[in-house]
C-alpha cells in the first residue's frame, strides 16, 4: 500500500506529490486544523495511531519548527512505520 493511499483516508490529496510537496501540504492542512478544527485534528491523529504522549513531548521540546510541522512529521513517520510493518509481515 502506498503512502499517498494511506494518507488519502484522512486527506484528499493528488496522487502525484513529491515527498517535499506531501510534507508541505500536510503542514498546511495541520496548521488549518490546529487553528480551525481541533476535534478533527485529534480524530485524524487518533485514527492514524500517532502516539499522543510522544507527540506532546515533541511539541514541548522541538525548537525551530511550528506545531503544524511537528504534527505533520509525526503523522508521516507513523504512516511510514505502518507501511514498513505491513511489508515485513506480508512476506
Amino acid at each position: 500500500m502506498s503512502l499517498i493511499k494511506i494518507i488519502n483516508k484522512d486527506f484528499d490529496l493528488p496522487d502525484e506529490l513529491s515527498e517535499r510537496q506531501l510534507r508541505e501540504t500536510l503542514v498546511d492542512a495541520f496548521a488549518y486544523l490546529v487553528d480551525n478544527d481541533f476535534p478533527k485534528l485529534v480524530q485524524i491523529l487518533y485514527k492514524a495511531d500517532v502516539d499522543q504522549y510522544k507527540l506532546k513531548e515533541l511539541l514541548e521540546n522541538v525548537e525551530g519548527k511550528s506545531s503544524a510541522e511537528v504534527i505533520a512529521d509525526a503523522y508521516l513517520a507513523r504512516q511510514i512505520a505502518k507501511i514498513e510493518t505491513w511489508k515485513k509481515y506480508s512476506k
Side-chain angles (χ1 to χ4, degrees):
M1 183 170 285
S2 76
L3 183 59
I4 293 285
K5 193 176 274 189
I6 292 173
I7 292 172
N8 272 340
K9 292 179 181 179
D10 299 317
F11 300 97
D12 186 23
L13 303 175
D15 289 335
E16 300 300 320
L17 288 176
S18 69
E19 280 186 41
R20 184 184 56 77
Q21 290 170 318
L22 175 60
R23 183 179 180 275
E24 288 174 4
T25 302
L26 287 173
V27 168
D28 290 344
F30 283 120
Y32 173 83
L33 291 171
V34 166
D35 292 339
N36 299 296
D37 197 348
F38 197 76
K40 184 171 182 174
L41 168 69
V42 171
Q43 178 186 20
I44 288 169
L45 295 176
Y46 178 79
K47 196 166 83 173
D49 196 29
V50 173
D51 185 308
Q52 65 184 4
Y53 302 107
K54 190 181 204 177
L55 182 59
K56 183 176 188 271
E57 184 179 320
L58 287 170
L59 288 167
E60 291 172 353
N61 297 315
V62 172
E63 294 182 22
K65 282 186 178 181
S66 70
S67 32
E69 288 176 293
V70 172
I71 294 167
D73 290 343
Y75 175 84
L76 278 169
R78 180 64 189 121
Q79 300 301 31
I80 291 167
K82 284 183 193 176
I83 292 171
E84 295 302 317
T85 300
W86 288 331
K87 283 181 185 175
K88 181 178 176 182
Y89 290 104
S90 68
K91 292 181 180 176

